[in-house]
Amino acid sequence: MSGYVYDLPTTGALSLSELCTDITGLHASNLARATEARANVRAILKASRRIDAGERDYLKVVKALDEYLPLINAIIASVAADDLTLAQEPIFSWRSTLSHSTLTDPPRINVHGLHAELAFVLHSSAYALSNLAAASVASLGTYERDRALPDADRRAKDEKLTFAVKLLCRAAGIFTHIAQVVIPELGKGVGGPRPPELREDVANALAKLALADAHALSVRKLLTRSAVQAALSPGPPLPQGHPPPAFVAKIYIHTASLYASARGLTDTSQRKLSSFISRGGPDNAEVSQDTRRYLEEEAALSEALAHKWLGVDAGEAGRTGDAAGYLKWAKSELESLKEGKLARFKKSAADGKMKKERSVEELESVRMFLNNYLKVNDSINFQPVPPSSTLQSTIPAGMSVVNEKPYEAPMPAFGPGTPDYVARHVQKLDLEATTSPESEPKQDDRDYGLKGSYF
């Protein structure tokens, strides 16, 4: 798997110099810089949508957004400190790509307030990081099975896989920051439901999605060293150097729980909107079916693979009855995915084909292990094969192997929070203290003995 790929949003033109009034007279050039940086973001996002998916430069998108973020942060801080005032209510135009299907164009919406702008910019950054990770993984192919690949090239590709995991952890941290820091600053908003990008539960869902994708890639990285031998000799016994199957299973259990939790959050968000839509409101506030389908299928696949590796763990330990039970369970789940019973929504024909091929590949592996363990069980061990309902109570807790990277907002490009701003205010206070008239010493008018005499 390479991970979920987002459609990048686009935004309308806007002059921040016209939006903000510079009270101090110090920020005219800064507002011009901010307007220029935003225009650059707009141009790069628009250009990216016109380019074929395989040729998009997501790193360029990330850099453009990184250049704009300190400037929009500075404007927000300066407005809060009354260094800048708003000439009018800030209204920014964005396309909500989270609420559209690939069969339709993203709806253009107006969002109100500087924090809404910041939320969309941060979403765009997290999308670009996730897409960069997916593009990096897609470029690797199935290198781990290539016996002829030199060790140096293999290490380079391993590092690229690790790099993709780190990108996804960064994206997860940004989504969490949006949910916990930016969205609470929005207030109640104006009229109707917010788009998905401005809802806390959706941002939290995307954080879990990114972290789940990172865990899925971590499992792949874990299995790379034994992949060549496993491809040459599939099935038991496991090749030397193979990671403990119980460890692999626990990672998949945790991965499945992240995908399922993310799907649950999108469902919760949707239920909150159902009454509004039933009254004739627009449905562009709904999280797209493409996103929900991805979460549903990846949760199902991760759960099936967890059952597979629990079965392999049992089989390697001689518990061939439990092994057969787990592997039959995994086989049934993978067959459902292969037939598309869970894939009610297809993002594209290519996406459906890739999902089917992936399920077929895992299904063949499960059958290989199942047939071997059944043969041993039926001829030597004669252990009962428990049903999935019995095995459910024996499933261990999941295990996390990577964490999201907490997002650290960049220092504002100007205004409050910058060293120059602090130094200027300290200098101003010193100047005021220097120019203020000193009070005359108060003369002592008390009458006492030896007054005026000094020794």
Side-chain angles (χ1 to χ4, degrees), residues 98-339:
L98 271 184
S99 60
H100 91 294
S101 167
T102 51
L103 300 177
T104 61
D105 290 330
R108 183 179 289 278
I109 57 174
N110 290 331
V111 294
H112 299 254
L114 294 170
H115 283 91
E117 163 83 347
L118 178 60
F120 266 90
V121 172
L122 287 172
H123 269 294
S124 301
S125 181
Y127 298 162
L129 288 170
S130 298
N131 291 1
L132 180 58
S136 298
V137 174
S139 68
L140 296 176
T142 54
Y143 76 95
E144 57 266 49
R145 301 178 189 176
D146 186 358
R147 295 183 64 192
L149 188 67
D151 287 343
D153 292 346
R154 188 178 300 277
R155 284 193 297 270
K157 290 180 180 291
D158 284 347
E159 290 174 2
K160 203 168 185 179
L161 201 57
T162 301
F163 174 67
V165 172
K166 291 180 179 179
L167 289 175
L168 289 167
C169 291
R170 281 182 60 191
I174 293 174
F175 285 129
T176 297
H177 179 81
I178 295 170
Q180 295 182 354
V181 178
V182 181
I183 291 178
E185 295 290 337
L186 293 176
K188 293 184 178 180
V190 181
R194 294 176 182 173
E197 289 85 352
L198 301 183
R199 297 208 299 273
E200 183 178 340
D201 43 13
V202 175
N204 280 322
L206 297 182
K208 291 181 181 295
L209 189 162
L211 200 56
D213 281 350
H215 274 83
L217 288 182
S218 296
V219 174
R220 178 178 173 181
K221 175 68 165 54
L222 193 64
L223 296 173
T224 53
R225 287 299 173 188
S226 58
V228 172
Q229 192 62 32
L232 289 174
S233 180
L238 294 177
Q240 188 175 5
H242 193 286
F247 181 51
V248 177
K250 289 178 181 179
I251 300 175
Y252 271 125
I253 291 169
H254 184 68
T255 304
S257 71
L258 287 171
Y259 283 126
S261 179
R263 176 59 198 260
L265 285 168
T266 61
D267 289 344
T268 299
S269 179
Q270 184 58 28
R271 282 194 294 271
K272 292 178 182 177
L273 294 169
S274 59
S275 61
F276 177 82
I277 295 174
S278 66
R279 295 196 300 269
D283 63 358
N284 59 17
E286 175 184 351
V287 178
S288 74
Q289 293 178 340
D290 296 336
T291 306
R292 301 205 312 274
R293 174 204 48 86
Y294 178 85
L295 292 170
E296 183 178 8
E297 289 195 347
E298 290 302 320
L301 180 58
S302 297
E303 191 171 354
L305 294 178
H307 297 154
K308 167 193 170 180
W309 289 107
L310 287 172
V312 173
D313 179 61
E316 294 296 291
R319 295 182 288 109
T320 50
D322 288 350
Y326 272 119
L327 289 165
K328 284 183 176 181
W329 191 2
K331 177 173 173 287
S332 174
E333 292 170 317
L334 289 169
E335 285 174 342
S336 294
L337 281 169
K338 176 188 172 185
E339 298 301 324

Side-chain angles (χ1 to χ4, degrees), residues 339-371:
E339 298 301 324
K341 293 177 182 178
L342 295 177
R344 294 192 296 272
F345 314 116
K346 290 296 182 186
K347 190 170 184 178
S348 66
D351 180 66
K353 181 181 178 182
M354 183 173 63
K355 182 75 67 178
K356 184 175 180 179
E357 290 175 351
R358 186 172 161 205
S359 299
V360 168
E361 182 180 331
E362 290 292 350
L363 189 56
E364 287 301 318
S365 175
V366 166
R367 284 172 177 161
M368 185 72 69
F369 280 105
L370 176 60
N371 291 337

Side-chain angles (χ1 to χ4, degrees), residues 396-446:
M399 180 180 293
S400 173
V401 291
V402 293
N403 297 310
E404 67 178 43
K405 182 179 180 181
Y407 175 74
E408 296 182 5
M411 179 185 293
F414 59 89
T418 62
D420 289 345
Y421 184 87
V422 174
R424 188 166 61 250
H425 277 257
V426 170
Q427 185 180 14
K428 181 180 178 182
L429 291 173
D430 290 343
L431 184 62
E432 290 175 352
T434 303
T435 57
S436 60
E438 295 184 5
S439 59
E440 294 291 335
K442 186 176 180 181
Q443 187 174 2
D444 191 350
D445 57 358
R446 291 176 297 173

